[in-house]
Amino acid sequence: MMQQGVDSRALFATFIIKLPKLLILAVAGAILGSGLNLFLVLGKMQNRCYVSETEYYIDFADGRYEAKDYYNDFTWNDVIKTDEILGRAMELLGSAYDRNQVSTMISARILSDVRYLTVYVRGQDPAQVEAVKNALGTALTEFAARKDELFDAIDRIEDLGIVLEEIPCFAWRAALLGAVIATGIGVFMTAFCFCMGSAFYTKSDILVRLGIPACGMTFRKGRRGNGNSALEQRQAEMLRENLELLREKYGQIFLLDISEGREAAAFQKEIMERGLADGSQVQLYDSGKDNRRLKCGKEGIAIVVVIPFGKVSREKITDEIEHARQRDSIAVAAVLTGVDRAWMRIYYAWYNGRQ
């Protein structure tokens, strides 16, 4: 069999046709993403802490402003939990408090200017948060007094009180992320399945992947067309001419498919209704019979493979063709059935010279 690269125009047409499904997938992803985010937020809401935020001004001693290079954001988080500060705070709090627990409650930040220190206290009990905040404030003031070679003072300049912790929702971000992920998966799966080449979209796909020519195509019945377009009329004329050539050469045509005769029977009914053949000329192939006695031409039985449009079928069709060949039944042509009119119009609009 011949090999070819990806037909970019066919891939483009496939993406356009699948846009409604991709949009539905995006909406589903957005709903799922926002739902999961809401679930997580509700879980966090159950364990919300009380938060105290207090800002202190650090007045460095004259000539020791270079201490800012040491007392930075990382250093304060370490120093505030030492015996000099946390140890003193624990003395003020008394034996009712556990040092390890209090240590996990506090954190320190230098947000911009090294002279401004923000201390956070988090806990489940607002009274406990209040007590720890006050003890830390006293301990920081005493710490500055002991380190008079570095600091003139550490003063509280703003106390935002004790409030319940705010849990960010990020609903729109979660919805957007869910939509992007879901759409990305849909796009990837569409491209992956297309590039695998297991579905047939054009007559040239059949020739390249199976090595047999496509004698025509039929279109899916529905509201999108009535068969009067120039494209459909031309394809109908080509199908009629090719079926006549096959009948002249072989006398009889046997239809082979992978759906236990359903696709073949539907195609047979359609061409008979359109007057392209009758029941004696076009019959269903029965792989269970010994078909060697049915030879009608030099190459044996004229097998026409009925291939559904856009369905994963290459491997099964290949198996059926090989099985028929081993029984002296040669697949000489194929027909593409149930073609999506919108897909084909998009494809031929981009590639008018291809048949």
Side-chain angles (χ1 to χ4, degrees):
M1 298 181 187
M2 300 169 60
Q3 298 294 328
Q4 70 170 7
V6 175
D7 189 336
S8 58
R9 293 173 177 83
L11 181 58
F12 173 80
T14 301
F15 275 127
I16 294 298
I17 292 300
K18 289 187 178 292
L19 272 180
K21 292 183 179 180
L22 291 175
L23 291 175
I24 293 174
L25 195 61
V27 172
I31 294 173
L32 180 61
S34 59
L36 288 175
N37 178 71
L38 179 60
F39 177 79
L40 294 174
V41 169
L42 290 176
K44 292 180 179 179
M45 292 284 286
Q46 299 297 321
N47 300 309
R48 279 199 300 176
C49 295
Y50 288 92
V51 180
S52 165
E53 181 179 341
T54 309
E55 188 171 6
Y56 296 88
Y57 178 78
I58 304 172
D59 187 3
F60 289 95
D62 292 339
R64 298 307 305 271
Y65 190 61
E66 69 274 6
K68 70 181 185 297
D69 295 328
Y70 174 73
Y71 285 95
N72 52 34
D73 186 84
F74 178 80
T75 303
W76 274 115
N77 264 296
D78 184 49
V79 170
I80 202 171
K81 297 180 182 181
T82 63
D83 288 338
E84 292 185 289
I85 298 177
L86 181 58
R88 174 55 180 157
M90 295 306 300
E91 292 176 3
L92 297 171
L93 289 169
S95 60
Y97 289 81
D98 179 73
R99 177 164 178 162
N100 291 330
Q101 180 185 3
V102 173
S103 178
T104 61
M105 295 172 59
I106 61 177
S107 60
R109 294 289 306 274
I110 297 292
L111 299 178
S112 56
D113 193 326
V114 294
R115 294 172 296 179
Y116 294 91
L117 172 67
T118 305
V119 177
Y120 300 92
V121 181
R122 292 179 173 85
Q124 298 292 330
D125 184 353
Q128 189 180 58
V129 172
E130 176 76 20
V132 172
K133 177 191 71 172
N134 293 332
L136 276 177
T138 301
L140 279 168
T141 300
E142 294 179 358
F143 175 74
R146 289 194 304 271
K147 298 286 185 178
D148 57 352
E149 74 279 8
L150 296 176
F151 310 104
D152 285 339
I154 297 179
D155 299 315
R156 181 186 301 178
I157 59 174
E158 186 175 18
D159 187 347
L160 299 182
I162 299 174
V163 297
L164 269 174
E165 182 180 19
E166 291 186 4
I167 305 297
C169 185
F170 302 121
W172 286 107
R173 295 183 187 179
L176 179 61
L177 180 61
V180 170
I181 292 176
T183 304
I185 292 174
V187 170
F188 172 79
M189 291 303 299
T190 299
F192 178 78
C193 293
F194 182 91
C195 294
M196 286 293 291
S198 294
F200 295 89
Y201 292 92
T202 63
K203 292 188 290 184
S204 62
D205 284 345
I206 297 172
L207 177 61
V208 169
R209 296 190 173 99
L210 299 180
I212 56 177
C215 61
M217 66 175 67
T218 62
F219 291 85
R220 185 182 305 165
K221 295 181 179 180
R223 295 176 296 175
R224 292 185 175 180
N226 53 13
N228 294 328
S229 68
L231 173 62
E232 293 180 63
Q233 290 180 357
R234 176 55 181 156
Q235 292 299 326
E237 181 182 351
M238 294 171 65
L239 177 60
R240 178 183 60 79
E241 292 175 354
N242 288 327
L243 287 176
E244 288 180 358
L245 290 174
L246 289 174
R247 288 201 306 271
E248 291 175 1
K249 184 175 181 179
Y250 296 97
Q252 283 184 314
I253 299 172
F254 291 85
L255 303 177
L256 170 69
D257 66 10
I258 59 170
S259 60
E260 299 180 350
R262 292 189 299 274
E263 295 281 353
F267 174 69
Q268 181 190 44
K269 179 181 178 181
E270 181 174 354
I271 60 176
M272 290 175 63
E273 290 176 349
R274 292 163 57 181
L276 301 180
D278 57 43
S280 63
Q281 297 171 322
V282 180
Q283 302 177 31
L284 303 184
Y285 179 83
D286 187 353
S287 61
K289 294 182 179 180
D290 185 359
N291 295 299
R292 286 176 290 186
R293 62 185 180 83
L294 298 176
K295 291 183 179 180
C296 301
K298 294 181 180 180
E299 298 181 353
I301 298 172
I303 300 293
V304 174
V305 185
V306 179
I307 301 176
F309 171 86
K311 295 182 180 179
V312 176
S313 56
R314 183 181 66 174
E315 289 73 19
K316 292 183 178 179
I317 289 174
T318 302
D319 287 343
E320 291 294 337
I321 291 175
E322 180 61 23
H323 179 67
R325 187 188 67 79
Q326 292 175 357
R327 300 174 68 84
D328 292 336
S329 302
I330 308 300
V332 298
V335 62
L336 192 62
T337 62
V339 175
D340 188 298
R341 289 182 173 85
W343 189 99
M344 197 58 66
R345 287 170 182 169
I346 295 171
Y347 181 78
Y348 275 93
W350 279 78
Y351 200 15
N352 291 320
R354 187 170 183 171
Q355 297 295 328

